Amino acid sequence: MAKDRKIDMVILGLLFHENLTGYDIKKRIDQSISFFWKGSFGSIYPSLAAMEKNGLVIKTKDESNTTKREKILYEITDEGRRFLQEWLEDSKAENSLRYETLLKLFFGGATTINVSVANIEAFENDITKDLEFLKFCKSNLEKVLDERDHVFFYLTVSFGVETYEAYLRWSKEAKQLLLNFEK
Amino acid sequence: MAKDRKIDMVILGLLFHENLTGYDIKKRIDQSISFFWKGSFGSIYPSLAAMEKNGLVIKTKDESNTTKREKILYEITDEGRRFLQEWLEDSKAENSLRYETLLKLFFGGATTINVSVANIEAFENDITKDLEFLKFCKSNLEKVLDERDHVFFYLTVSFGVETYEAYLRWSKEAKQLLLNFEK
DNA sequence: AAAGACATGTAAAACGTTACATGATTGC
DNA sequence: GCAATCATGTAACGTTTTACATGTCTTT
């Protein structure tokens, strides 16, 4: 059985719902899960090729495509579904943060308070922008929660909203503590 | 100028305070910043070698070491300090989550509610354990906040506490929503 | 006519982890 | 005496990103 490269799982998870091209998969990743998982063409296409070899996905004919532009729709197989299922049922998960902002703050002793405050403010700006978008998604999903799949999308988005709001609360407190300390 | 490999910055930041061996650096990383940044010997030693070549750090004699066991203390140079400073002053930072738990939840439509609930519970357990430790660190640091450097350590720890508490709040809500949906 | 999105794929480079290899010292 | 920790380093492996290469279709 193939090693469980995480990108494989992302692709299988997406293909579980519908047949997609590599290009579609990239778009889905960017639009739906990019705030907690990323993926690039350079990993998507090789993953598809490898999984096809291993029988987890198959190429399908795209009846709707009448143009000359080549377009390869992938479909998940029963074995692919089994593989996805196995991964889902295994409750161990690797969760990791890589927060360069925190790294810079941790080493704040090597610079001025103003630099650290500026770093926190840059972080606040990024988060504020993303939070707005997440809230927009959340309110849209709230209207369609009766459909089973949407519940899962809603939960990941609400994870984002809750944590980003926590980030912003922390940012305010952190700046205050730094500026008070300076006095 | 060397590319800014992040592990280089971690090491320079640590060396800013005190001279350390590669082994010490690994311990510092594990003890202080591992919840938002990781590092292994396989990246630390090569980084030290490269930075020595580039004049960012130098090897120093360890006067205190009278044993036969080899021990190489590294010291940051002026150029190393400049390089660290530059990085700190550049407010753009790459912050990324890779949350396999969220990935599994996002694809929850491909399995049963119970599996998703179990995944959230495994996440809760991990977070609860880490949160306890973070709170312990936080209360210790609170007592020594008068020293400038400690403020920065305190802020990163308090980031951890705030976000981990948000994770736990979310976990409870998420489980409830899933279990209610099943009815 | 041009720009931008659609579409596939490869190659090189960067980066990091794990496992291996070796040996000294400390504490029980 | 033995286990754990201290201490350095390399090699193999795996993953992922970035840049490159190529060409089509749609919209303005």
Side-chain angles (χ1 to χ4, degrees):
Chain A
M1 185 54 43
K3 316 139 266 170
D4 77 318
R5 255 223 248 70
K6 301 292 156 59
I7 186 66
D8 292 355
M9 299 306 148
V10 173
I11 294 175
L12 290 176
L14 291 169
L15 291 181
F16 187 87
H17 291 283
E18 52 185 330
N19 298 349
L20 297 166
T21 66
Y23 195 85
D24 291 334
I25 288 167
K26 166 75 169 140
K27 273 204 303 187
R28 291 281 189 292
I29 291 174
D30 288 347
Q31 287 164 5
S32 309
I33 64 174
S34 65
F35 92 90
F36 63 87
W37 210 275
K38 309 235 173 346
S40 60
F41 288 126
S43 61
I44 292 168
Y45 286 113
S47 163
L48 283 168
M51 290 198 295
E52 204 215 347
K53 219 177 117 189
N54 292 328
L56 303 178
V57 301
I58 49 170
K59 291 179 181 179
T60 64
K61 302 218 179 307
D62 182 10
E63 316 292 352
S64 69
N65 183 30
T66 51
T67 63
K68 239 187 287 180
R69 182 162 57 191
E70 67 172 333
K71 196 170 171 176
I72 306 166
L73 271 178
Y74 285 90
E75 186 183 330
I76 192 169
T77 63
D78 284 343
E79 197 170 335
R81 269 183 280 264
R82 258 196 304 279
F83 196 60
L84 176 65
Q85 192 59 229
E86 241 170 69
W87 170 71
L88 286 168
E89 282 172 5
D90 179 6
S91 67
K92 83 167 144 16
E94 204 188 298
N95 297 317
S96 76
L97 296 173
R98 291 185 117 239
Y99 265 26
E100 197 176 352
T101 297
L102 290 185
L103 215 47
K104 289 191 180 185
L105 193 61
F106 187 80
F107 296 130
T111 185
T112 64
I113 295 283
N114 283 340
V115 165
S116 290
V117 170
N119 283 328
I120 294 173
E121 280 171 349
F123 177 66
E124 264 183 315
N125 286 339
D126 292 346
I127 293 297
T128 302
K129 240 171 275 161
D130 292 348
L131 178 56
E132 222 165 289
F133 176 68
L134 283 171
K135 277 180 163 171
F136 170 76
C137 294
K138 190 180 168 184
S139 75
N140 281 341
L141 281 165
E142 249 153 18
K143 295 169 202 152
V144 292
L145 269 186
D146 47 304
E147 194 174 322
R148 191 173 183 268
D149 279 344
H150 294 158
V151 175
F152 300 103
F153 307 155
Y154 174 81
L155 286 178
T156 54
V157 168
S158 101
F159 179 96
V161 171
E162 300 245 358
T163 57
Y164 279 27
E165 282 176 344
Y167 291 170
L168 291 182
R169 281 195 300 276
W170 170 84
S171 296
K172 263 199 196 99
E173 284 166 34
K175 283 198 301 183
Q176 244 163 42
L177 199 131
L178 286 175
L179 293 170
N180 278 336
F181 189 82
E182 206 177 19
K183 281 184 252 171
Chain B
M1 183 54 42
K3 316 138 268 172
D4 78 318
R5 254 223 250 71
K6 301 294 157 57
I7 185 66
D8 293 354
M9 298 306 149
V10 173
I11 294 174
L12 290 176
L14 291 170
L15 291 181
F16 186 87
H17 290 285
E18 52 184 331
N19 298 348
L20 297 166
T21 66
Y23 194 86
D24 292 333
I25 289 168
K26 167 75 168 138
K27 273 203 307 186
R28 290 283 189 293
I29 292 174
D30 289 346
Q31 286 163 6
S32 309
I33 64 173
S34 65
F35 92 89
F36 63 88
W37 210 275
K38 308 236 175 347
S40 60
F41 288 127
S43 62
I44 292 168
Y45 285 113
S47 163
L48 282 168
M51 290 199 292
E52 204 215 346
K53 219 176 117 189
N54 292 329
L56 303 178
V57 301
I58 49 169
K59 291 179 181 178
T60 63
K61 301 213 180 311
D62 182 10
E63 315 293 352
S64 69
N65 183 30
T66 51
T67 63
K68 240 187 284 182
R69 181 161 58 190
E70 69 173 331
K71 197 170 171 176
I72 305 166
L73 271 177
Y74 285 89
E75 187 183 329
I76 191 169
T77 63
D78 285 342
E79 198 171 333
R81 269 182 282 264
R82 259 196 304 279
F83 196 61
L84 177 65
Q85 193 60 228
E86 241 170 69
W87 171 72
L88 286 168
E89 282 171 5
D90 179 5
S91 67
K92 82 165 146 15
E94 204 189 297
N95 297 317
S96 77
L97 295 174
R98 289 185 118 240
Y99 267 26
E100 197 176 353
T101 297
L102 289 185
L103 215 47
K104 290 190 180 183
L105 192 61
F106 187 82
F107 296 129
T111 184
T112 64
I113 295 282
N114 283 340
V115 165
S116 290
V117 169
N119 283 329
I120 294 173
E121 280 171 349
F123 177 66
E124 263 182 316
N125 286 339
D126 291 346
I127 294 297
T128 302
K129 241 173 272 162
D130 292 347
L131 178 56
E132 222 165 288
F133 177 68
L134 283 171
K135 276 180 163 171
F136 171 75
C137 293
K138 190 180 169 184
S139 74
N140 282 339
L141 281 165
E142 250 154 18
K143 295 170 201 151
V144 292
L145 269 186
D146 48 304
E147 194 173 322
R148 191 174 184 269
D149 280 344
H150 293 158
V151 174
F152 300 103
F153 307 155
Y154 173 80
L155 287 177
T156 55
V157 168
S158 101
F159 179 97
V161 170
E162 301 245 357
T163 57
Y164 279 26
E165 282 176 345
Y167 291 170
L168 291 182
R169 279 195 303 275
W170 169 84
S171 296
K172 263 198 195 99
E173 285 166 35
K175 283 197 302 183
Q176 244 162 42
L177 201 131
L178 286 175
L179 294 171
N180 277 338
F181 189 82
E182 205 178 17
K183 280 185 252 169

